[in-house]
Amino acid sequence: MYRPQTYYLILCLIIMGALPFFFPLWKDAAGKSFYFMMNIGYAVLFGLSNTLSLLSILSHQKRQQQFVMGRLNIILNLILLGLFVYRTLNASGEMAISEKGVGMFLPIFSIVFLVLANKAIKKDEDLVKSVDRLR
């Protein structure tokens, strides 16, 4: 039986690793879908988020390290979300975004699951500290 944070991190891994291949970030004025792999910056940020999630799952023995990686992943997803918002608001001229895609909101779902995972990690850490205090 796995701990709850493992399930949250697996969901985050699926959201940031598999779903962007199926959901476009946005559609331009011509109706052409724009996926994350069409921009090297977005591809790198999605890849880093997946790497942090995977490393966090694999370091289940080190709760503090897992917590820090979760925080870094939240910051990375906030940066990615900020880039999407910036691109949407300042896209007049060379590329007008006519329709936002579902892929643009994936970092929000990822952040939610990362926060839940960090809460579960903190709960485990507090439990271990309370047991150590009793000894």
Side-chain angles (χ1 to χ4, degrees), residues 24-34 88 95-105:
L25 298 177
W26 55 74
K27 291 185 180 182
D28 59 7
K32 184 180 176 194
S33 296
F34 184 87
T88 304
M95 183 183 122
I97 297 172
S98 64
E99 183 180 326
K100 294 171 192 68
V102 175
M104 196 171 201
F105 301 105

Side-chain angles (χ1 to χ4, degrees), residues 50-94:
N50 287 326
T51 303
L52 280 173
S53 294
L54 186 63
L55 288 175
S56 187
I57 291 170
L58 295 176
S59 67
H60 60 89
Q61 296 289 330
K62 303 170 187 161
R63 285 176 301 278
Q64 280 301 108
Q65 184 179 358
Q66 200 176 26
F67 188 79
V68 169
M69 283 191 277
R71 286 260 171 110
L72 288 174
N73 205 349
I74 290 171
I75 292 169
L76 187 67
N77 279 297
L78 285 172
I79 291 170
L80 190 59
L81 190 61
L83 286 174
F84 290 157
V85 170
Y86 176 78
R87 177 77 177 208
T88 304
L89 295 176
N90 293 332
S92 61
E94 77 274 355

Side-chain angles (χ1 to χ4, degrees), residues 7-30:
Y7 294 117
Y8 294 136
L9 290 168
I10 289 171
L11 282 172
C12 182
L13 190 64
I14 291 169
I15 288 171
M16 296 302 281
L19 294 182
F21 286 102
F22 301 108
F23 297 113
L25 298 177
W26 55 74
K27 291 185 180 182
D28 59 7

